[in-house]
Amino acid sequence: MNRFALCVSTAIARVTEAALGPYQTAVVRIGFAATWLLFLLREFPHRQEMYGPDGPWSWDLAQQLVSTNGAFTALMWSDGRFWFETVYALSVLTGLLLLLGWRTRTMSVLFMVGVLSLQNRSIFMGDGGDNVLHLMCVYLVFTRCGQVWSLDARRARRGREARARGEHVADRVGPALWGVLGLALVAVTLSGRLFDAEWFVPLLLWTFWLGQALWWVICRRAMSGEPRILLDVIANIVHNGALLVIMAEACLIYATAGWYKIQGSRWQDGTAVYYPLHLDYFSPWPALADLLSASGTMVMLMTYGTVIVQVAFPFTLFNRRVKNVLLAVMITEHAAIAVILGLPFFSLAMIAADAVFLPTSFLRRLGGWAARARGRLPAGRDRTALPKPRAPENPEHTHVGFTA
């Protein structure tokens, strides 16, 4: 009984004391932000036809659909072209800022608003990759995905170094950003448009906006450290729960895809991969598709291999080495799908979801390689050569709010 209690207490301490998987969540953040950003930039010339007023799915049809399914989309607040261009531009901007890790807590919420607004406006324009992005953008809001590999992490590190030297550190951007977004949120709420559809996303927006205010007040005004510790514990629990949901979602995607494939006759006889290779829509490189499908043995191996990997992957999580092997196989498979079938954004979304299972040791080595490569650049060498500022004579210590 004592051993069981010790295991339980250790598990509780692990979940509450730290936000687990900082490198994994950073890669997931970067992966999905890059996928969405590249998609928006590629479709920029066609944005009006896909999501705007010039599309076949008109604003009136979209309004009827939204009134039926209750989906959240800011594009239904106005049918003007200027409003559409504003939402599209903000979606591009928030995708870029989330990729860089600038104010990740706020940008993750705005990123979710942009993804849901565009996708729910024209739901028939998406594919499997859009569905994954649709789910993951909601999960990312609950994670502390800016702990590493972000501008937030660099700002926090510089703040600690400055306070150690006795310098005064003040965050003016955070409160200003909070105030501007708060005014916009209040205005949309009072106009009656925010709660036109489902309540989850609007309630989430208000919760995070008020939560940021509470965090700032406690960091600046609390007389003791216990309130800050309590908020950190709550944030860690929410982060770890969201990380678990992301992992479960990825396993569910592969498990359902694999078991549904088993029930198909073409997957059972080993010929299923042959047919998409000869569809004009999925053949950007016809010569390469013909080369792969020329051998019946190759087609059979790819067909059965796809099913085996997808069905087996959730069970390999109990064995780290086997999991890493299958993870490399799946990432390679998605990269091949991006090239052979011409589905780059679907593949990027799935690779970003797979990244949650990457080993921490590998990600640290990857970060080390990137840091050394950056250090070899002229800008990196010039920056490291700058002298450190001298500590002031009268040190003062302050707390900084609005951390990631």
Side-chain angles (χ1 to χ4, degrees):
M1 186 64 183
N2 292 334
R3 184 177 181 181
F4 175 76
L6 180 61
C7 293
V8 171
S9 62
T10 302
I12 293 175
R14 182 173 175 80
V15 171
T16 58
E17 289 179 355
L20 304 177
Y23 293 94
Q24 286 79 1
T25 50
V27 173
V28 171
R29 182 200 85 230
I30 294 171
F32 282 107
T35 301
W36 183 240
L37 178 62
L38 292 174
F39 174 79
L40 293 181
L41 293 177
R42 191 194 71 169
E43 300 299 338
F44 186 80
H46 315 290
R47 64 192 184 281
Q48 295 286 351
E49 291 77 13
M50 293 186 63
Y51 303 113
D54 296 337
W57 194 251
S58 65
W59 190 84
D60 292 333
L61 290 175
Q63 192 175 39
Q64 294 177 26
L65 180 62
V66 169
S67 64
T68 302
N69 61 18
F72 171 85
T73 170
L75 290 178
M76 290 295 97
W77 298 348
S78 173
D79 59 349
R81 189 179 297 269
F82 176 77
W83 176 244
F84 167 76
E85 297 291 353
T86 301
V87 173
Y88 199 94
L90 289 177
S91 298
V92 173
L93 179 61
T94 55
L96 176 61
L97 294 178
L98 184 64
L99 173 66
L100 298 176
W102 185 81
R103 307 287 171 175
T104 52
R105 179 65 68 196
T106 301
M107 290 305 119
S108 63
V109 176
L110 297 179
F111 177 78
M112 176 194 68
V113 171
V115 172
L116 297 183
S117 296
L118 291 174
Q119 289 190 353
N120 290 336
R121 165 64 173 82
S122 301
I123 61 174
F124 301 108
M125 303 299 297
D127 56 18
D130 292 334
N131 294 334
V132 176
L133 182 61
H134 193 102
L135 294 171
M136 294 299 178
C137 74
V138 179
Y139 302 152
L140 271 177
V141 171
F142 297 94
T143 64
R144 309 182 83 172
C145 54
Q147 299 178 94
V148 297
W149 297 346
S150 66
L151 296 179
D152 286 346
R154 186 181 70 172
R155 187 180 69 252
R157 183 181 67 254
R158 291 181 174 179
R160 290 192 298 268
E161 293 173 353
R163 288 193 295 272
R165 295 191 300 267
E167 299 177 1
H168 174 77
V169 179
D171 181 18
R172 297 181 178 87
V173 177
L177 184 63
W178 179 87
V180 171
L181 295 178
L183 289 176
L185 188 60
V186 170
V188 174
T189 303
L190 293 178
S191 68
R193 295 186 179 96
L194 186 62
F195 288 90
D196 280 345
E198 52 92 30
W199 58 268
F200 174 74
V201 174
L203 183 61
L204 191 63
L205 297 178
W206 272 104
T207 300
F208 274 93
W209 185 70
L210 295 175
Q212 286 290 77
L214 177 63
W215 185 282
W216 185 85
V217 169
I218 288 180
C219 288
R220 294 295 298 268
R221 304 299 181 186
M223 302 301 294
S224 62
E226 284 79 5
R228 172 64 184 269
I229 295 175
L230 177 61
L231 289 183
D232 272 329
V233 169
I234 295 174
N236 291 335
I237 294 174
V238 172
H239 166 92
N240 295 330
L243 184 62
L244 179 62
V245 171
I246 292 174
M247 298 172 69
E249 186 69 43
C251 290
L252 184 62
I253 291 172
Y254 285 116
T256 53
W259 286 107
Y260 272 111
K261 286 182 174 66
I262 290 177
Q263 302 174 40
S265 59
R266 294 293 178 259
W267 291 97
Q268 293 175 6
D269 60 24
T271 61
V273 174
Y274 175 86
Y275 298 100
L277 291 175
H278 290 81
L279 294 175
D280 293 337
Y281 184 75
F282 296 111
S283 298
W285 313 99
L288 181 59
D290 292 339
L291 178 63
L292 292 175
S293 60
S295 171
T297 303
M298 178 63 70
V299 172
M300 182 187 67
L301 291 176
M302 290 190 297
T303 302
Y304 289 151
T306 300
V307 176
I308 292 172
V309 169
Q310 291 183 347
V311 172
F313 178 74
F315 300 99
T316 63
L317 298 181
F318 301 99
N319 189 303
R320 182 176 301 177
R321 293 182 178 179
V322 178
K323 181 263 294 182
N324 291 338
V325 172
L326 285 189
L327 187 60
V329 171
M330 289 192 303
I331 292 176
T332 304
E333 178 186 1
H334 288 304
I337 290 174
V339 176
I340 299 172
L341 299 182
L343 296 172
F345 300 109
F346 166 77
S347 299
L348 283 175
M350 291 307 303
I351 291 174
D354 294 341
V356 74
F357 299 106
L358 288 173
T360 302
S361 57
F362 169 76
L363 293 176
R364 285 182 174 177
R365 286 197 298 269
L366 186 64
W369 296 336
R372 286 192 294 270
R374 184 182 61 182
R376 295 190 185 98
L377 297 176
R381 290 195 297 268
D382 293 342
R383 183 170 58 250
T384 56
L386 292 176
K388 294 183 179 180
R390 186 174 58 184
E393 296 179 358
N394 298 320
E396 294 180 359
H397 298 274
T398 60
H399 292 288
V400 181
F402 289 85
T403 56

